Amino acid sequence: MSNTGCQSSELEVCRDEPAALQLKLIAIASILLAGVAGVSIPLIGKHRKFLRTDGSLFVAAKAFAAGVILSTGFVHMLAGGTEALTDPCLPKFPWSKFPFPGFFAMIASLVTLLVDFVGTQYYERKQGTAKANTEEQARVVSLDPDSDTGIVLLVNKDGTTGKVFGEEEGGGMHIVGMHAHAAHHRHSHPHGQDGCDGLLKRRPHDHDDEHAHSHGYGHGHGHGHGDDDSSVRHVVVSQILELGIVSHSVIIGLSLGVSQSPCTIRPLIAALSFHQFFEGFALGGCISQAQFKTLSATIMACFFAMTTPAGIGIGIGAASFYNPYSPAALVTEGILDSLSAGILVYMALVDLIAADF
């Protein structure tokens, strides 16, 4: 199909290749700086008091960034996929006979759920294996063998007593973590004296301990050992979120790079820089909370920051022969936009907004 076959007259009137090239170079610099700044702030500032991951400012900024990702999926990517897959340049069958954009977005959301689940299970097993030796260094002592609370103390070989499971530094208890561990403890050990011999003992000052812990139980909401599970979740979330952001960033960059219309490119520079900054902030927050090693965090941050500028560069190189209005290009763009929308909507709602609130 020729380059003029399905192009609008508005784009043809505004076509200016030298001006478009200058704007593309400006876009590369602007979007790169915005991405680097957005993803770096949570990583560099995590040790600063006003940018701590549990601070109000960080939570508010991350919630806003999650909203940007949600709107990108619903308003931009899904709409773009619908526009591409319903373009008049495509044959009516099958593209006009079935709502493919929503279908692909739904499939992407369900696949993301599956990857999310499998990834979490994998990292939990990996983490459990790594800590097997550490757990052997302590023995479990119940404060009350007849109690259903399942509150336990870790007593090390040197006689020192660890924190009650789920207890935060200030003495508070995490109810979800405590009950989860209690259920696991009841199912993991045989019942009766034989199974608990040498493990379950009554301490002489149980009454005082129980009073102290019942007091702490009602106050605070720290995570204690639950932080390990939280870290596992952040590892999975950050990697899937990066996959979703990167997939649509390449498409956006390619679309901008092949355009020869300053009328199209000019407003995209500000919009994409805004999106890149806040998407980077959300991703950087997840990476920071996942507690990656410095090298891994740096690689993930750089990979995110480079994707849209790289897409623009590829688009500039392919602009002479790439026709964004050809059926193959429209189908590819529409499917990838719809898949990206499903990934971003799932991640924003389930792993960012719902988790934070």
Side-chain angles (χ1 to χ4, degrees):
M1 186 175 292
S2 64
N3 214 11
T4 59
C6 292
Q7 221 162 9
S8 67
S9 57
E10 180 184 355
L11 293 180
E12 286 299 313
V13 170
C14 200
R15 186 182 181 92
D16 186 346
E17 294 185 15
L21 180 60
Q22 292 180 355
L23 289 175
K24 291 173 190 177
L25 297 178
I26 294 174
I28 290 177
S30 175
I31 293 172
L32 180 62
L33 289 176
V36 170
V39 76
S40 297
I41 289 176
L43 296 177
I44 297 176
K46 64 182 178 181
H47 299 300
R48 304 293 188 270
K49 184 177 181 180
F50 67 98
L51 275 178
R52 290 181 307 175
T53 56
D54 58 346
S56 299
L57 177 62
F58 179 86
V59 172
K62 189 181 175 186
F64 183 83
V68 171
I69 293 177
L70 182 64
S71 63
T72 300
F74 268 126
V75 179
H76 180 65
M77 303 309 298
L78 191 58
T82 302
E83 183 180 357
L85 293 178
T86 57
D87 193 280
C89 292
L90 290 179
K92 290 187 177 181
F93 183 83
W95 305 109
S96 298
K97 304 299 182 182
F98 186 81
F100 283 102
F103 174 75
F104 287 127
M106 178 190 70
I107 294 298
S109 295
L110 294 176
V111 171
T112 304
L113 170 63
L114 179 63
V115 173
D116 200 2
F117 172 76
V118 173
T120 302
Q121 296 295 311
Y122 168 77
Y123 280 107
E124 284 179 347
R125 287 196 301 269
K126 184 178 179 182
Q127 189 179 58
T129 302
K131 291 188 175 182
N133 293 332
T134 304
E135 292 174 354
E136 290 175 358
Q137 301 299 317
R139 45 194 184 88
V140 180
V141 178
S142 174
L143 296 179
D144 186 359
D146 298 325
S147 173
D148 291 333
T149 61
I151 299 178
V152 294
L153 276 178
L154 294 178
V155 180
N156 299 323
K157 289 183 177 180
D158 59 3
T160 60
T161 303
K163 291 194 296 182
V164 174
F165 177 83
E167 182 180 1
E168 66 176 318
E169 294 296 336
M173 296 294 296
H174 190 296
I175 186 169
V176 177
M178 187 188 70
H179 284 303
H181 183 80
H184 174 74
H185 183 69
R186 287 195 296 269
H187 287 87
S188 297
H189 300 283
H191 294 283
Q193 185 65 28
D194 292 340
C196 299
D197 188 30
L199 292 177
L200 300 179
K201 297 181 180 179
R202 182 78 177 182
R203 290 166 60 97
H205 52 283
D206 280 343
H207 178 74
D208 295 337
D209 283 346
E210 285 175 0
H211 176 74
H213 291 307
S214 65
H215 175 74
Y217 179 86
H219 302 276
H221 49 277
H223 295 279
H225 291 276
D227 287 340
D228 295 335
D229 294 334
S230 177
S231 178
V232 169
R233 289 293 303 134
H234 287 302
V235 169
V236 178
V237 167
S238 60
Q239 293 179 343
I240 299 178
L241 181 61
E242 175 148 13
L243 174 64
I245 292 175
V246 164
S247 62
H248 88 80
S249 295
V250 172
I251 295 298
I252 291 174
L254 185 62
S255 300
L256 189 150
V258 299
S259 175
Q260 301 293 0
S261 170
C263 300
T264 301
I265 298 173
R266 197 173 289 112
L268 279 178
I269 295 177
L272 293 182
S273 298
F274 176 84
H275 277 257
Q276 194 81 348
F277 177 84
F278 283 102
E279 287 177 350
F281 191 93
L283 179 62
C286 290
I287 294 174
S288 175
Q289 291 174 308
Q291 300 175 355
F292 282 107
K293 294 180 180 179
T294 302
L295 179 60
S296 299
T298 303
I299 292 175
M300 292 183 70
C302 292
F303 189 63
F304 160 78
M306 291 296 296
T307 49
T308 303
I312 297 174
I314 295 172
I316 292 174
S320 59
F321 60 87
Y322 176 79
N323 178 16
Y325 300 95
S326 69
L330 288 170
V331 170
T332 302
E333 179 182 348
I335 292 176
L336 290 178
D337 279 354
S338 301
L339 294 175
S340 297
I343 295 173
L344 294 180
V345 167
Y346 173 89
M347 296 303 298
L349 286 176
V350 177
D351 284 330
L352 294 178
I353 297 176
D356 285 344
F357 284 91

